[in-house]
Amino acid sequence: ALREDESLSNLSLEPLPSGRMSSQQFLTWKNNLLVTLLKSRDYALFLPGGYYSTWNSIASGDGNPHRYITQLHPNDLITTTANIEAISQLLLAQRNTQLFNFLNYIAVLDNDSSKQEICQLSTGIEWVFNFLENNHCSMRQSLDIFDLNKID
């Protein structure tokens, strides 16, 4: 069951290694992260299929983390009709704060080495995963079949 009050500090996951890893190792780490984050309703919102799996990059603006999400998803629940505009603004601020904390948590798992890029440039969780995979996975080297010195 999803828990609304689960904070990221209570979720445990191995950080990304500081060196290179294989694509399979990264996929395993990514899947473990997804399973861990899905335990929290607050953070499932930002995962694939969630209401806010994409957001605005704040790099082009003033860097204000309250501008990742500028409009609530139509299905994001507001359970009252009293003062709906004020409550919508509060919920929007809460979603932006949750997203900021979510991105910071992922950056901590990367030993904060990519915090600025993740927090400033990201536009969605898939962007974050692609960025981390590009930074951590060994690149395949092409084999020049005409260079006999490179053949083992």
Side-chain angles (χ1 to χ4, degrees), residues 90-102:
L90 286 172
L91 182 58
L92 184 61
Q94 178 184 9
R95 294 296 182 243
N96 277 292
T97 299
Q98 289 168 327
L99 178 55
F100 181 74
N101 293 337
F102 173 84

PDB file of all heavy atoms in Angstrom, residues 90-102:
ATOM      1  N   LEU A  90      -1.655  26.441  -2.537  1.00  0.00           N
ATOM      2  CA  LEU A  90      -0.921  25.722  -1.486  1.00  0.00           C
ATOM      3  C   LEU A  90      -0.508  24.334  -1.961  1.00  0.00           C
ATOM      4  O   LEU A  90       0.617  23.896  -1.713  1.00  0.00           O
ATOM      5  CB  LEU A  90      -1.772  25.615  -0.214  1.00  0.00           C
ATOM      6  CG  LEU A  90      -1.929  26.882   0.598  1.00  0.00           C
ATOM      7  CD1 LEU A  90      -2.945  26.673   1.723  1.00  0.00           C
ATOM      8  CD2 LEU A  90      -0.587  27.323   1.167  1.00  0.00           C
ATOM      9  N   LEU A  91      -1.418  23.645  -2.655  1.00  0.00           N
ATOM     10  CA  LEU A  91      -1.106  22.312  -3.165  1.00  0.00           C
ATOM     11  C   LEU A  91      -0.019  22.392  -4.236  1.00  0.00           C
ATOM     12  O   LEU A  91       0.887  21.560  -4.263  1.00  0.00           O
ATOM     13  CB  LEU A  91      -2.359  21.627  -3.713  1.00  0.00           C
ATOM     14  CG  LEU A  91      -2.172  20.204  -4.235  1.00  0.00           C
ATOM     15  CD1 LEU A  91      -1.609  19.280  -3.149  1.00  0.00           C
ATOM     16  CD2 LEU A  91      -3.488  19.657  -4.770  1.00  0.00           C
ATOM     17  N   LEU A  92      -0.075  23.396  -5.080  1.00  0.00           N
ATOM     18  CA  LEU A  92       0.952  23.582  -6.106  1.00  0.00           C
ATOM     19  C   LEU A  92       2.317  23.819  -5.452  1.00  0.00           C
ATOM     20  O   LEU A  92       3.320  23.219  -5.859  1.00  0.00           O
ATOM     21  CB  LEU A  92       0.583  24.747  -7.025  1.00  0.00           C
ATOM     22  CG  LEU A  92       1.509  25.012  -8.193  1.00  0.00           C
ATOM     23  CD1 LEU A  92       1.576  23.813  -9.132  1.00  0.00           C
ATOM     24  CD2 LEU A  92       1.028  26.248  -8.946  1.00  0.00           C
ATOM     25  N   ALA A  93       2.361  24.638  -4.430  1.00  0.00           N
ATOM     26  CA  ALA A  93       3.613  24.875  -3.706  1.00  0.00           C
ATOM     27  C   ALA A  93       4.104  23.590  -3.051  1.00  0.00           C
ATOM     28  O   ALA A  93       5.303  23.285  -3.060  1.00  0.00           O
ATOM     29  CB  ALA A  93       3.414  25.969  -2.663  1.00  0.00           C
ATOM     30  N   GLN A  94       3.178  22.808  -2.504  1.00  0.00           N
ATOM     31  CA  GLN A  94       3.554  21.535  -1.884  1.00  0.00           C
ATOM     32  C   GLN A  94       4.130  20.566  -2.917  1.00  0.00           C
ATOM     33  O   GLN A  94       5.139  19.917  -2.665  1.00  0.00           O
ATOM     34  CB  GLN A  94       2.338  20.912  -1.200  1.00  0.00           C
ATOM     35  CG  GLN A  94       2.620  19.568  -0.560  1.00  0.00           C
ATOM     36  CD  GLN A  94       1.378  18.920   0.021  1.00  0.00           C
ATOM     37  OE1 GLN A  94       0.261  19.375  -0.183  1.00  0.00           O
ATOM     38  NE2 GLN A  94       1.574  17.837   0.745  1.00  0.00           N
ATOM     39  N   ARG A  95       3.523  20.483  -4.087  1.00  0.00           N
ATOM     40  CA  ARG A  95       4.026  19.582  -5.139  1.00  0.00           C
ATOM     41  C   ARG A  95       5.419  20.008  -5.586  1.00  0.00           C
ATOM     42  O   ARG A  95       6.288  19.171  -5.811  1.00  0.00           O
ATOM     43  CB  ARG A  95       3.073  19.553  -6.334  1.00  0.00           C
ATOM     44  CG  ARG A  95       1.722  18.944  -6.049  1.00  0.00           C
ATOM     45  CD  ARG A  95       1.836  17.471  -5.694  1.00  0.00           C
ATOM     46  NE  ARG A  95       0.536  16.888  -5.476  1.00  0.00           N
ATOM     47  CZ  ARG A  95       0.128  16.372  -4.324  1.00  0.00           C
ATOM     48  NH1 ARG A  95       0.949  16.350  -3.277  1.00  0.00           N
ATOM     49  NH2 ARG A  95      -1.065  15.854  -4.198  1.00  0.00           N
ATOM     50  N   ASN A  96       5.657  21.301  -5.719  1.00  0.00           N
ATOM     51  CA  ASN A  96       6.978  21.780  -6.112  1.00  0.00           C
ATOM     52  C   ASN A  96       8.020  21.476  -5.041  1.00  0.00           C
ATOM     53  O   ASN A  96       9.148  21.093  -5.356  1.00  0.00           O
ATOM     54  CB  ASN A  96       6.927  23.276  -6.431  1.00  0.00           C
ATOM     55  CG  ASN A  96       6.447  23.534  -7.837  1.00  0.00           C
ATOM     56  OD1 ASN A  96       7.127  23.221  -8.799  1.00  0.00           O
ATOM     57  ND2 ASN A  96       5.257  24.089  -7.960  1.00  0.00           N
ATOM     58  N   THR A  97       7.659  21.626  -3.790  1.00  0.00           N
ATOM     59  CA  THR A  97       8.573  21.293  -2.689  1.00  0.00           C
ATOM     60  C   THR A  97       8.867  19.803  -2.678  1.00  0.00           C
ATOM     61  O   THR A  97      10.023  19.389  -2.504  1.00  0.00           O
ATOM     62  CB  THR A  97       7.981  21.743  -1.340  1.00  0.00           C
ATOM     63  OG1 THR A  97       7.805  23.163  -1.374  1.00  0.00           O
ATOM     64  CG2 THR A  97       8.876  21.365  -0.178  1.00  0.00           C
ATOM     65  N   GLN A  98       7.839  18.985  -2.873  1.00  0.00           N
ATOM     66  CA  GLN A  98       8.038  17.536  -2.938  1.00  0.00           C
ATOM     67  C   GLN A  98       8.974  17.174  -4.085  1.00  0.00           C
ATOM     68  O   GLN A  98       9.865  16.334  -3.923  1.00  0.00           O
ATOM     69  CB  GLN A  98       6.697  16.817  -3.111  1.00  0.00           C
ATOM     70  CG  GLN A  98       5.824  16.855  -1.891  1.00  0.00           C
ATOM     71  CD  GLN A  98       4.407  16.395  -2.196  1.00  0.00           C
ATOM     72  OE1 GLN A  98       3.883  16.611  -3.303  1.00  0.00           O
ATOM     73  NE2 GLN A  98       3.784  15.756  -1.219  1.00  0.00           N
ATOM     74  N   LEU A  99       8.787  17.795  -5.235  1.00  0.00           N
ATOM     75  CA  LEU A  99       9.641  17.510  -6.387  1.00  0.00           C
ATOM     76  C   LEU A  99      11.071  17.949  -6.115  1.00  0.00           C
ATOM     77  O   LEU A  99      12.018  17.222  -6.423  1.00  0.00           O
ATOM     78  CB  LEU A  99       9.097  18.187  -7.651  1.00  0.00           C
ATOM     79  CG  LEU A  99       9.916  18.007  -8.918  1.00  0.00           C
ATOM     80  CD1 LEU A  99      10.161  16.537  -9.233  1.00  0.00           C
ATOM     81  CD2 LEU A  99       9.227  18.698 -10.080  1.00  0.00           C
ATOM     82  N   PHE A 100      11.252  19.109  -5.511  1.00  0.00           N
ATOM     83  CA  PHE A 100      12.592  19.582  -5.162  1.00  0.00           C
ATOM     84  C   PHE A 100      13.274  18.589  -4.219  1.00  0.00           C
ATOM     85  O   PHE A 100      14.438  18.222  -4.422  1.00  0.00           O
ATOM     86  CB  PHE A 100      12.501  20.973  -4.525  1.00  0.00           C
ATOM     87  CG  PHE A 100      13.831  21.544  -4.152  1.00  0.00           C
ATOM     88  CD1 PHE A 100      14.705  22.017  -5.117  1.00  0.00           C
ATOM     89  CD2 PHE A 100      14.221  21.602  -2.821  1.00  0.00           C
ATOM     90  CE1 PHE A 100      15.937  22.545  -4.771  1.00  0.00           C
ATOM     91  CE2 PHE A 100      15.453  22.132  -2.470  1.00  0.00           C
ATOM     92  CZ  PHE A 100      16.317  22.598  -3.442  1.00  0.00           C
ATOM     93  N   ASN A 101      12.566  18.107  -3.212  1.00  0.00           N
ATOM     94  CA  ASN A 101      13.125  17.123  -2.275  1.00  0.00           C
ATOM     95  C   ASN A 101      13.430  15.803  -2.970  1.00  0.00           C
ATOM     96  O   ASN A 101      14.453  15.167  -2.704  1.00  0.00           O
ATOM     97  CB  ASN A 101      12.167  16.894  -1.101  1.00  0.00           C
ATOM     98  CG  ASN A 101      12.040  18.108  -0.219  1.00  0.00           C
ATOM     99  OD1 ASN A 101      12.919  18.967  -0.190  1.00  0.00           O
ATOM    100  ND2 ASN A 101      10.933  18.208   0.481  1.00  0.00           N
ATOM    101  N   PHE A 102      12.560  15.393  -3.866  1.00  0.00           N
ATOM    102  CA  PHE A 102      12.732  14.181  -4.660  1.00  0.00           C
ATOM    103  C   PHE A 102      14.014  14.258  -5.489  1.00  0.00           C
ATOM    104  O   PHE A 102      14.836  13.338  -5.487  1.00  0.00           O
ATOM    105  CB  PHE A 102      11.486  14.049  -5.545  1.00  0.00           C
ATOM    106  CG  PHE A 102      11.496  12.972  -6.581  1.00  0.00           C
ATOM    107  CD1 PHE A 102      11.143  11.677  -6.262  1.00  0.00           C
ATOM    108  CD2 PHE A 102      11.798  13.264  -7.912  1.00  0.00           C
ATOM    109  CE1 PHE A 102      11.098  10.690  -7.234  1.00  0.00           C
ATOM    110  CE2 PHE A 102      11.766  12.286  -8.886  1.00  0.00           C
ATOM    111  CZ  PHE A 102      11.412  10.995  -8.534  1.00  0.00           C
TER     112      PHE A 102
END
